[in-house]
Structure formats: structure tokens, C-alpha cells
Amino acid sequence: MQNNKNVPRRLSRMKAFQFLYGLEFGEIKTVQALENSYKNFPVQDGGEENVCEGFTWELILGVWQHSEKLDEIIQQYSKKWRLDRVGKVELCLLRLAVFEIAYRHDVPAKVAINEALELNKVFGEERSQAFINGILDSYSKSLEEK
């Protein structure tokens, strides 16, 4: 098992996305239940151990804790698209990126946007690239104006 402090952030984001996507199909009500679920999440060969610390866990916990606010932001910038019409993959990617832009001041907005688009290339549909980019770009520009 690798030391999770040496895992590239892109791999941490990918793992956080995969875990958060799985949460779309069940409900977790407590941090303890979230921790237990994450500790039991499958580890890929040579992948980092599932410990509730480090960047991957910070993303998971942050998105989970702030999901209502993240959804409000996404809804605000998604123009004419109700969240229930947005695909689960795209919604998870948007939540992850909006969380990083809003709450992770160590991650530049451009990096969060690029990482979401890269993850969408792996897990999402090509046609959703512009949708994701548009929402994230509009949101990040609105923060620059403040």
C-alpha cells in the first residue's frame, strides 16, 4: 500500500469522485457512517489505503458536508437546467469542483475546472464538457468580481 501523502492530487480527486458517485445510490446521515463506508470502499491494486485523512478524505467530507450549498451554487449557474435533469456523473463532478473553488483556497479555480473536465473525459460524456465548463467558469468568474 502506498503512503497516501504521496498520492498525486489527480488520483485523489478520481477516488473521491468514485466514492461520492457511489453515495448517489444510498443515503449516509452521519460522519461516522461516511467514515465506515469510505474505509470499506474497494482499494485498487497499489492504490492508497482508505484512511480518513489526507486530500481524498478532505474532498469527500467537504462535498458531503456542503452538498446542499454546492447544489444551490450549481443550480444558480446551470441556467434552465434543474438539478434532477443533470446526470449523476456530471453532478458529482460539479460538486467536487465547486467545493474546491469555494472552500479549498490552496486549489486555484482554473485547476479545479481543468480537473473536473479531465475526470469527465474518463467518467462522463463528451457532450457534457461544455455544460460543466460553462457552470464552473461562470461561478469562478463571479467570485473574481467580488
Side-chain angles (χ1 to χ4, degrees):
M1 304 255 173
Q2 286 180 293
N3 177 341
N4 68 344
K5 289 181 173 48
N6 297 325
V7 174
R9 283 190 163 191
R10 177 163 289 171
L11 293 178
S12 291
R13 282 183 186 93
M14 185 177 291
K15 186 171 188 174
F17 163 77
Q18 290 171 315
F19 181 79
L20 291 165
Y21 179 77
L23 293 183
E24 290 294 308
F25 302 95
E27 191 173 7
I28 291 188
K29 294 184 184 250
T30 67
V31 172
Q32 186 62 49
L34 186 70
E35 288 178 0
N36 290 339
S37 182
Y38 180 59
K39 287 176 185 174
N40 292 313
F41 189 66
V43 177
Q44 294 179 343
D45 291 339
E48 73 176 274
E49 188 176 336
N50 296 337
V51 293
C52 297
E53 61 182 44
F55 190 64
T56 306
W57 175 247
E58 291 167 9
L59 293 175
I60 290 168
L61 182 62
V63 170
W64 181 79
Q65 288 177 323
H66 299 284
S67 64
E68 285 184 28
K69 178 64 177 164
L70 299 173
D71 285 355
E72 287 173 18
I73 293 168
I74 294 164
Q75 183 65 69
Q76 180 182 346
Y77 290 91
S78 64
K79 300 183 175 109
K80 299 179 186 173
W81 278 85
R82 294 187 330 266
L83 288 188
D84 62 354
R85 291 189 59 216
V86 176
K88 291 186 185 313
V89 168
E90 292 78 10
L91 187 57
C92 285
L93 291 173
L94 286 165
R95 285 177 181 150
L96 193 56
V98 169
F99 171 75
E100 287 194 77
I101 293 167
Y103 297 97
R104 294 293 305 219
H105 303 295
D106 61 324
V107 178
K110 287 181 181 182
V111 171
I113 294 168
N114 183 61
E115 291 296 319
L117 295 173
E118 290 299 316
L119 285 171
N120 186 62
K121 288 178 185 175
V122 175
F123 298 105
E125 296 183 28
E126 188 177 328
R127 65 181 185 195
S128 59
Q129 287 285 103
F131 177 73
I132 291 170
N133 188 50
I135 291 172
L136 297 176
D137 191 52
S138 294
Y139 175 58
S140 70
K141 284 181 178 168
S142 76
L143 294 177
E144 291 170 10
E145 294 168 3
K146 290 183 180 180

